Amino acid sequence: VVDEESKGGSLFKGDNGTVGSPSGLSDIFRVNANSLNTNVTINADENASCTGPLAIADGVVVTVGGNLTVI
């Protein structure tokens, strides 16, 4: 099983397990990190979304050329 949470990734939760586990494929909830610690670029031809609140660390740059929605 891949431990995505410790790498800043996300987990799928529900009845079955985490990302990387075949048993977790039908889980319904995705649990996201709530802080951004690396620079990110959303290209002009991309759409991105995240669930807030979202804290952006000092010195981190988010460049949005496309669309970013914070829910």
Side-chain angles (χ1 to χ4, degrees):
V1 174
V2 177
D3 182 7
E4 292 294 328
E5 188 171 38
S6 67
K7 296 189 289 184
S10 62
L11 293 175
F12 287 94
K13 290 186 176 181
D15 294 329
N16 300 304
T18 62
V19 171
S21 170
S23 64
L25 292 176
S26 63
D27 285 342
I28 193 167
F29 298 104
R30 181 173 177 172
V31 179
N32 299 300
N34 59 5
S35 61
L36 181 63
N37 299 306
T38 58
N39 296 336
V40 173
T41 298
I42 309 301
N43 295 320
D45 61 346
E46 295 177 323
N47 295 312
S49 64
C50 65
T51 304
L54 174 63
I56 300 172
D58 288 342
V60 171
V61 176
V62 178
T63 304
V64 180
N67 298 294
L68 173 61
T69 301
V70 180
I71 302 168

